[in-house]
Each structure stands twice: as C-alpha cells, then as structure tokens.
C-alpha cells in the first residue's frame, strides 16, 4: 500500500495542511529538496504535493536523491521531478539549471551505523554537500539547512534545556563527532553565505525524529524499537535506558520546518521539540513493548554499534523561540509511537 492510501497517514498530511501558516507564500513556487526520500523529506514532499493537487497553483518540486527510480515511484511525477545526485559529488547540469524559490538541504547520514561505517560521508554531507547546495542557490528566495539537536553536544549540568544560544561540549577528536561537528560547521557556513553573498537562510534544529516515513534500514534506537513493535517482538534495549531526550513525530517536525521556512528570521536557528515528547529511553521502549504486548530485554551492543552511539545522556530542547512563531505540536510521545506502529503494520 502507498503511504498516501493509509487513512492515518492521510490524517497526518491533513494535520500539516491545516496549520495556520501563510500558505500563499508557496503558491506557484518551486522547491529544490535534497534528502527527498528520507524520513522528513518524504513527508514534507507528500504535504506539498497534496497542497498542490488541491490548490493547483503551479508548485513544482525538484527532488534530489541517490535513486531516481525510487523518487519517481514514491511521488506524483506531475509535480515532482526526480533528480539522481550524490550531493557530495560535483553537481550535474540538470541541478545547476534549476532556479528554485525555496531550497532545502535535508540530506544527511542520520543514524548510528552510518556514523560508524561512513564517518567521512557523514561529515561531508554537512560540508561539501551543503556547500554544493548553497552554491547553486544564491538567487533563491530562501535556503534552509536542517540542523540537529546534536550540535549542542553534552549537557554540562549547567542548564535543564538547550535553547538556541547554548554551547555544550563535543570531543571533536573522535570519528563519532563527525555528525555534530559537521552540523555545527554547516551552520557556520550558512552564516558565511549570508554575510558574503547576501543569502536568506534559516536553520531548524531537529530533535530526534520518528514516524511512518522512517527507512527500514535506520539503526537509531527508537527506529529499532519501532521495528520490533511492528514485528511483534520483544524490545531490545542496549543500555540502561536512562538517556533523556526530546523527540518529534514526523508530522510535527514537518510543520516545524514550514514555520521556520515561512516565518523564521534570516540567519535564525530554531529548535523543533515539545515537552510532551521529552522521555527517557527506557520509558520510550516500555510504551512500544506495552502496545505490542511484549517486554523490554537488555542486550549489550557490539563494537560497531557502540561506536556510532551518541554519548549524550540528556538533551532536552527549549522550543520557546519556535512557539513564538505560532508553532505547536499535535502528537505526544504515546500517540506518535502508536500511530507509527499502526501505519507501518498496515503498510
């Protein structure tokens, strides 16, 4: 079943389109989006596509991914043009010729196994890939770089929540640091393009995001838990589970992106998170196990897995800045997890 044929997922799209946003700003506009088939990119494109199918305003979406066939099979070809491109490699003329109003760099290695087995690709997507996207977007109306909660590093015990001005600690002399340091450097690169080339750029900082558009190959803990829940298996927890993090259901993450894109201040960074989805890992696992009628079991990770894990033990985001733009979340942790499992089971 196509996700857009699933009644629950269609409700998610309607929820996104029902937000009180200045939708007139996107009518007739063109979008260039990297990471098009990823967790967040695919949901965003589904929402934009449904908006265009309804409004018929002339929106055009250019979707970048490593498989043209996968993009073409996933989205409406009348609205979405598939472009096959590794963003870390020199861009083809097909991309260079696109004159997009909104450019969104969402491509990134985003889970532990990638951090461990492809640390070079992890950091380069947030440096070379970002620079390639910026270079072809100097005339765009607005550029968006999707950053991450991981830029804050370790909580040093001096704050309860990370606001956008917080600067935590990251040990840069490790391969695992490639992801957070790449995001940090990427944000700095964006500020350089604003200063030197006069670009308009916004930076959403995503909390740990999950939902039915997740890739089955994703090795993040929450994704592994969800897969076990879908398959009706015990949840395997590879730590004591005391880590306390902020999470976002994908539909809330996408609305956060849209609020930042359409209402954010040039150069501004905005945390996307909500207090109702702040949870310890063991409690998250328990919600899924309870819903699946299974139990949580503990297991030590192997060396490759452990090398990709974040060392952070507490990373809770303060989203007051985003909420001041009018954003609010619609899904708490329990509702989002149960919804994700139901949709994936049906599909």
């Amino acid at each position: 079943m196509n996700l857009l044929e699933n009644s629950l997922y269609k409700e998610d799209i309607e929820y996104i389109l029902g937000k009180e946003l200045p939708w007139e700003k996107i009518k007739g506009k063109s979008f260039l989006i990297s990471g098009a088939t990823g967790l967040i990119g695919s949901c965003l494109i589904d929402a934009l596509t449904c908006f265009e199918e309804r409004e018929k305003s002339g929106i055009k979406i250019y979707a970048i991914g490593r498989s043209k066939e996968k993009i073409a099979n996933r989205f409406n070809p009348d609205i979405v043009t598939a472009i096959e491109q590794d963003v870390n490699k020199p861009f083809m003329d097909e991309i260079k010729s696109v004159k997009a109003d909104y450019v969104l760099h969402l491509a990134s290695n985003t889970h532990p196994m990638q951090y461990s087995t492809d640390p070079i690709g992890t950091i380069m997507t947030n440096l070379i890939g970002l620079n390639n996207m910026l270079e072809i977007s100097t005339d765009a109306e607005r550029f968006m770089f999707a950053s991450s909660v991981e830029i804050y590093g370790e909580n040093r015990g001096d704050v309860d929540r990370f606001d956008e001005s917080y600067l935590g600690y990251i040990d840069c002399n490790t391969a695992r640091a490639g992801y957070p340091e790449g995001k940090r450097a990427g944000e700095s690169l964006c500020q350089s393009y604003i200063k030197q080339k006069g670009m308009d750029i916004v930076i959403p900082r995503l909390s740990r995001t999950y939902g039915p558009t997740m890739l089955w190959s994703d090795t993040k803990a929450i994704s592994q838990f969800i897969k076990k829940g879908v398959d009706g298996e015990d949840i395997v927890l590879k730590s004591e589970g005391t880590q306390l993090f902020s999470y976002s259901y994908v539909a809330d993450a996408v609305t956060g992106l849209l609020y930042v894109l359409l209402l954010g201040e040039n150069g501004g960074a905005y945390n996307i998170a909500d207090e109702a989805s702040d949870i310890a890992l063991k409690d998250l696992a328990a919600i899924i196990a309870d819903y699946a009628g299974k139990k949580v079991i503990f297991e030590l990770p192997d060396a490759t897995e452990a090398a990709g894990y974040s060392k952070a033990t507490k990373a809770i985001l303060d989203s007051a800045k985003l909420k001041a733009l009018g954003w609010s979340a619609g899904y708490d942790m329990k509702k989002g997890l149960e919804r994700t499992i139901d949709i994936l089971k049906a599909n």
Side-chain angles (χ1 to χ4, degrees):
M1 179 193 295
N2 184 297
L3 261 182
L4 283 169
E5 295 174 357
N6 182 286
S7 59
L8 288 176
Y9 186 65
K10 285 194 288 188
E11 286 179 9
D12 289 345
I13 299 303
E14 288 300 322
Y15 160 74
I16 294 169
L17 298 181
K19 285 290 186 177
E20 293 185 5
L21 281 159
W23 294 103
E24 66 278 0
K25 286 187 175 183
I26 70 169
K27 290 184 177 180
K29 299 292 187 178
S30 57
F31 291 78
L32 178 64
I33 302 174
S34 70
T37 56
L39 167 68
I40 296 171
S42 58
C43 184
L44 173 63
I45 292 175
D46 283 339
L48 293 174
T49 299
C50 288
F51 179 86
E52 174 57 21
E53 289 171 346
R54 185 173 302 169
E55 297 292 328
K56 302 190 184 307
S57 70
I59 286 176
K60 190 66 180 175
I61 301 167
Y62 299 91
I64 303 173
R66 295 188 179 185
S67 171
K68 191 170 188 175
E69 181 180 8
K70 186 176 180 181
I71 298 170
N73 290 336
R74 177 67 175 77
F75 303 113
N76 182 343
D78 294 330
I79 300 170
V80 181
T81 299
I83 300 176
E84 187 169 309
Q85 173 73 56
D86 181 338
V87 295
N88 292 336
K89 296 179 179 178
F91 277 9
M92 301 179 300
D93 290 340
E94 184 179 5
I95 298 182
K96 292 179 180 178
S97 65
V98 173
K99 301 300 180 185
D101 299 296
Y102 295 115
V103 181
L104 292 79
H105 183 46
L106 307 181
S108 184
N109 284 357
T110 57
H111 61 89
M113 194 61 73
Q114 288 179 318
Y115 305 153
S116 177
T117 61
D118 185 24
I120 295 173
T122 297
I123 193 169
M124 287 304 178
T125 304
N126 294 306
L127 291 175
I128 302 301
L130 172 60
N131 191 65
N132 286 339
M133 293 289 289
L134 286 163
E135 276 295 301
I136 63 166
S137 307
T138 53
D139 294 327
E141 186 173 329
R142 171 156 276 190
F143 186 99
M144 172 180 283
F145 172 53
S147 190
S148 166
V149 58
E150 291 221 24
I151 67 105
Y152 296 111
E154 292 269 6
N155 188 318
R156 306 310 298 272
D158 52 342
V159 298
D160 184 45
R161 295 180 177 275
F162 300 152
D163 67 16
E164 287 79 1
S165 65
Y166 186 75
L167 297 172
Y169 167 77
I170 296 173
D171 180 359
C172 63
N173 198 28
T174 66
R176 176 58 177 80
Y179 182 71
E181 293 285 17
K183 290 294 188 184
R184 280 188 170 190
E187 289 196 20
S188 182
L189 184 61
C190 287
Q191 298 299 334
S192 299
Y193 270 83
I194 293 170
K195 173 69 174 178
Q196 192 168 334
K197 300 202 175 184
M199 289 183 66
D200 186 307
I201 303 175
V202 286
I203 304 169
R205 291 175 179 163
L206 291 152
S207 54
R208 289 166 169 81
T209 307
Y210 68 97
T213 51
M214 60 177 259
L215 301 177
W216 211 247
S217 58
D218 194 331
T219 57
K220 290 194 292 290
I222 187 171
S223 301
Q224 294 296 307
F225 297 168
I226 289 169
K227 284 189 281 186
K228 293 288 187 181
V230 171
D231 292 336
E233 300 177 6
D234 290 335
I235 309 304
V236 180
L237 187 57
K238 298 190 176 184
S239 69
E240 293 181 0
T242 56
Q243 304 95 316
L244 180 60
F245 298 141
S246 292
Y247 293 86
S248 295
Y249 183 63
V250 67
D252 282 327
V254 167
T255 62
L257 292 184
L258 289 168
Y259 271 86
V260 175
L261 181 68
L262 300 177
L263 296 169
E265 178 184 2
N266 183 19
Y270 297 83
N271 290 336
I272 300 178
D274 182 70
E275 294 87 345
S277 291
D278 296 340
I279 192 171
L281 199 58
K282 62 181 179 180
D283 295 328
L284 188 159
I287 290 174
I288 297 175
D290 181 65
Y291 194 61
K294 296 295 177 177
K295 62 181 182 294
V296 177
I297 60 176
F298 294 85
E299 180 181 298
L300 291 176
D302 62 36
T304 302
E305 289 177 308
Y309 289 168
S310 170
K311 299 300 186 289
T313 56
K314 183 178 181 181
I316 307 177
L317 296 180
D318 181 335
S319 59
K321 187 176 177 183
L322 179 61
K323 289 179 177 178
L325 298 181
W327 179 84
S328 62
Y331 301 84
D332 62 23
M333 202 72 218
K334 188 173 186 294
K335 181 179 180 181
L337 287 171
E338 293 179 354
R339 195 175 190 84
T340 298
I341 291 170
D342 288 344
I343 294 171
L344 289 175
K345 274 187 174 181
N347 277 60

